[in-house]
Each structure stands twice: as C-alpha cells, then as structure tokens.
Amino acid sequence: MAAVAAASSLPSCSFVGLDKTGSGNGGSLSFTEGFLDQGKVPAIRFRRREKLDASIRSGRAELKISCCFKKNSGSEGLHHSVDAALILKKKSEDVLPYLNGRCIFLVGMMGSGKSTVGKILSEALGYSFFDSDKLVEQAVGISSVAQIFEQHSETFFRDNESKVLKDLSSMSRLVVATGGGAVIRPINWKHMKHGVTAWLDVPLEALAKRIAAVGTASRPLLHQEPGDPYTKAFKKLTALSEQRGKAYANAHARVRLADIALRKGHGDVSALTPTDISLEALVMIEHFLTEDAAIRKGQFI
C-alpha cells in the first residue's frame, strides 16, 4: 500500500557523516516505496551528495541524522506523520469487513476537502476514487463546472450530476467526492445511500478563507457575488449552509473538523492535516457501520 497521506506531508531530511575531527559530508534521506506495508518501520536509504571521506568509508565515523521540517500548514513532523499513516492503515483494515465493498460518498460544502480526503481514503482502503464534478464535465464535454453553468444552466448540471451518481451507486469499492450541491436533490440521496455517506463539516470561516485564497472563478455560485473574496465567500456560504444544512445532516457519518481540532489542542481547523481528517472519517464511518450491523443482527435474531 502507498504511504497514504503521509507521503505528501513527510519532511525532507538530511544526514551528516562526521569523522573524529568533526568534519563530514551531507546527503539526503528518503523512504522506499511500500514503507507502510505490514506495519513495518520505514526502510531508509541515503543518497550522498559527494563522496564521503576515508574515515566514513572505514566505518569509524559516527552517522548523525537531522530532519529539516518544511513549514507547510499542518505539518506535524516525521514521527507523527508516519504514526498517523500507520494508524490510518490499521483503521482501514478494521473498517473494510464492515463496508463489504460498499461505496463511500463524501458530501459537504464547496472547499471542504472532499477530493483530498477522498483520495487518501481510497488509497488506504484499496478503493478507486472518483470526483463526481469531473465525471459530469467529461460526460457533457465541457472542461469546468463554471462553464457548464454559464453555457447551459445549474439545472442542466444537476440533471447530469444525478445521472452520474446513479451510475456510481451501482458499483462497488469506490470513494466518491460529490459536488457541494449534490445533497439538495432527494434522488441523489437515494443513489448515495446504496453506499455509506460521510459529511465533512467544516466551519464557514475556514471555508471562506480557503476559497478566498484561491479565488472564486471556479465557483459558479460565488463568482458573481460583490465584495472582496473573503466577504462574498462567507456571505454566500452562510446562505448555502442555511439552505443545505438539514440535507447534509442526512449523512450516515458526520466528520466535525472543529471537534478534531479541539481534541488535538488546535485553535484553528487549518492546523489539521488531511490524514487527521481522513482518520476521523474512518472512525465515524466505522461507528455507523458497527451500530448498523448491531441493529440488523438484533432484527434478524
């Protein structure tokens, strides 16, 4: 299995070989593919930048390893990243028997990270990943949702979205990232509940910041709003949340990012890594599946 989410967040590391006088040469540290297989500690190999001196070749030198952690948002260091990925893998193994091949449909507001989390979950579970918006774009031959809205209409897009979700619901072993508005049509819930649905519940302030940072051009429901990017994003997201809140609550599992951040002692959900969120999603999905299995067992005894 791939390194799941840790692969994208592992820090860059270097090593320094020191002789007895303290001189040395540098190099880099990398992890071999499949380092999470069977829960083993990652294998390490060294790439030397230049030929090491005689004292290092003779084995008399000490080898010291130092890690230079990139200051990426949410980066938590080498050991935590590896531990989190191992925990994610173990949790996926716990959840798989309960899923029994059923698809996972991720729902949530625009910008909630459904595609990022969906890809991580699919790798952890050995599932295939699909983005329903991308499938609609391919089906109608138009390169973006914004263009579909502009050239046709939102209704046209929603009709094709429902067709895509119907097709996906007949398959197995998929993780599907749905569009933010997929929840507004009851027929879509009928399709998605052939599998397991999980709501990524992100605070509106965090969503508005994310969207403002990348712009609203790709968000047809936001692009025409007046004002600065954050203000118009927050205003529209608030209105959409009021319209869709009850619909999102239909999901089998709810992944509250604010709760995860609180447990981890973060003051802001932006400090969470995609692995943190993916792990919580699996925990909540397992919660639903075990309760559902217990109910079914009680019914058929």
Side-chain angles (χ1 to χ4, degrees):
M1 183 178 291
V4 198
S8 62
S9 59
L10 283 173
S12 62
C13 298
S14 63
F15 76 87
V16 181
L18 297 175
D19 61 22
K20 292 183 178 180
T21 64
S23 63
N25 293 284
S28 63
L29 176 96
S30 61
F31 294 89
T32 58
E33 289 185 2
F35 74 87
L36 290 179
D37 288 349
Q38 302 175 355
K40 295 180 180 178
V41 174
I44 298 172
R45 66 176 182 270
F46 295 94
R47 295 174 181 163
R48 291 179 290 180
R49 295 195 191 101
E50 52 189 279
K51 191 175 182 180
L52 300 179
D53 60 26
S55 65
I56 292 176
R57 289 198 302 273
S58 67
R60 294 193 299 271
E62 293 182 0
L63 189 64
K64 294 186 178 181
I65 298 174
S66 63
C67 289
C68 303
F69 298 104
K70 296 179 181 179
K71 294 183 179 179
N72 291 334
S73 176
S75 178
E76 298 184 40
L78 174 61
H79 292 298
H80 179 79
S81 296
V82 173
D83 288 346
L86 288 171
I87 294 169
L88 182 67
K89 180 186 176 184
K90 178 60 172 65
K91 180 54 63 178
S92 70
E93 292 170 349
D94 294 340
V95 173
L96 275 169
Y98 290 102
L99 276 171
N100 195 28
R102 279 180 284 181
C103 297
I104 295 173
F105 293 87
L106 299 177
V107 301
M109 296 284 281
M110 63 181 81
S112 59
K114 298 184 293 291
S115 293
T116 300
V117 171
K119 290 173 184 176
I120 293 171
L121 290 177
S122 66
E123 288 186 36
L125 294 165
Y127 274 28
S128 297
F129 171 78
F130 287 102
D131 182 315
S132 66
D133 282 354
K134 298 296 182 185
L135 293 177
V136 173
E137 291 167 5
Q138 293 172 15
V140 302
I142 298 176
S143 61
S144 74
V145 174
Q147 287 183 322
I148 297 174
F149 272 54
E150 183 179 347
Q151 295 180 25
H152 295 279
S153 65
E154 181 177 356
T155 299
F156 176 84
F157 172 81
R158 299 296 174 202
D159 289 343
N160 282 277
E161 180 179 55
S162 294
K163 292 176 184 177
V164 164
L165 292 174
K166 179 181 179 181
D167 290 342
L168 292 171
S169 70
S170 67
M171 302 178 190
S172 61
R173 298 180 63 82
L174 306 178
V175 177
V176 180
T178 67
V183 297
I184 63 178
R185 287 192 172 187
I187 188 63
N188 292 343
W189 282 107
K190 181 179 178 181
H191 300 323
M192 292 190 292
K193 287 203 169 181
H194 283 285
V196 178
T197 53
W199 172 21
L200 301 189
D201 183 6
V202 184
L204 296 182
E205 296 85 353
L207 287 176
K209 288 178 182 177
R210 290 181 189 179
I211 293 170
V214 298
T216 59
S218 63
R219 309 287 183 181
L221 294 181
L222 298 180
H223 192 48
Q224 302 304 320
E225 292 289 314
D228 67 274
Y230 174 82
T231 300
K232 68 180 181 180
F234 184 77
K235 180 179 178 182
K236 186 62 176 180
L237 288 169
T238 300
L240 290 173
S241 179
E242 291 174 356
Q243 296 170 12
R244 301 173 180 175
K246 291 182 179 179
Y248 288 131
N250 286 323
H252 294 127
R254 183 174 182 178
V255 184
R256 294 179 173 90
L257 270 67
D259 288 353
I260 311 172
L262 183 63
R263 287 201 308 271
K264 289 183 168 290
H266 299 318
D268 192 328
V269 298
S270 64
L272 297 173
T273 68
T275 306
D276 292 330
I277 300 166
S278 301
L279 178 58
E280 181 75 2
L282 281 180
V283 168
M284 299 310 295
I285 288 169
E286 181 185 38
H287 210 24
F288 161 71
L289 290 172
T290 53
E291 285 189 354
D292 184 60
I295 292 171
R296 290 176 181 273
K297 184 177 180 181
Q299 288 176 342
F300 291 106
I301 288 177

